[in-house]
Amino acid sequence: MINDVMLFDEVNRCMYCGFCESVCPTISLGPHRGYGPRGRVNLIKEILKNNTITEEVLSSIYSCLLCNACNLVCPAKIDIGRAVREVRAIINNYNKQSIKKKIIIRER
């Protein structure tokens, strides 16, 4: 597992070119681009910066199939699949912590 700073540096390399969206099998599943790799990268940045997550963000992050098709076309060479796995681990650690909360889950 990489630390939060390394994960932020990884996803911060995204240029939002959108090449990854053309190969993502889940982008059409949701009502917004958060269901595609570019959107997930942006959501991961928000989770790490603001320590806040909504049910919609959870839905977007957990809809990723981890197929890594996006990695093959990313010109910035971001390992988006790994970034999604890492943020899932952060979310799971939150669920295991009862006293010190890393992420505050807010309803809409």
Side-chain angles (χ1 to χ4, degrees):
M1 187 165 168
I2 62 176
N3 66 39
D4 293 359
V5 173
M6 290 172 61
L7 179 58
F8 186 81
D9 289 346
E10 174 85 6
V11 295
N12 204 36
R13 292 196 332 250
C14 181
M15 301 174 289
Y16 300 101
C17 65
F19 292 158
C20 56
E21 291 184 343
S22 65
V23 297
C24 180
T26 63
I27 193 162
S28 62
L29 296 178
H32 53 75
R33 296 206 183 278
Y35 287 82
R38 179 169 60 167
R40 288 187 188 101
V41 163
N42 196 38
L43 292 173
I44 291 168
K45 286 169 56 174
E46 287 301 312
I47 290 168
L48 295 173
K49 284 194 310 193
N50 299 324
N51 293 328
T52 304
I53 188 167
T54 64
E55 291 297 323
E56 184 62 28
V57 169
L58 286 174
S59 180
S60 297
I61 295 296
Y62 282 93
S63 68
C64 179
L65 301 177
L66 301 173
C67 68
N68 291 321
C70 50
N71 294 354
L72 299 174
V73 297
C74 179
K77 304 295 184 212
I78 299 169
D79 190 340
I80 300 168
R82 185 177 100 193
V84 169
R85 284 190 300 279
E86 294 293 336
V87 82
R88 286 178 181 178
I90 290 169
I91 292 166
N92 289 336
N93 284 337
Y94 160 76
N95 290 332
K96 292 177 184 174
Q97 296 175 6
S98 59
I99 298 172
K100 185 178 178 184
K101 295 182 179 178
K102 186 172 184 82
I103 298 173
I104 300 166
I105 297 180
R106 293 186 183 161
E107 295 294 325
R108 288 192 215 188

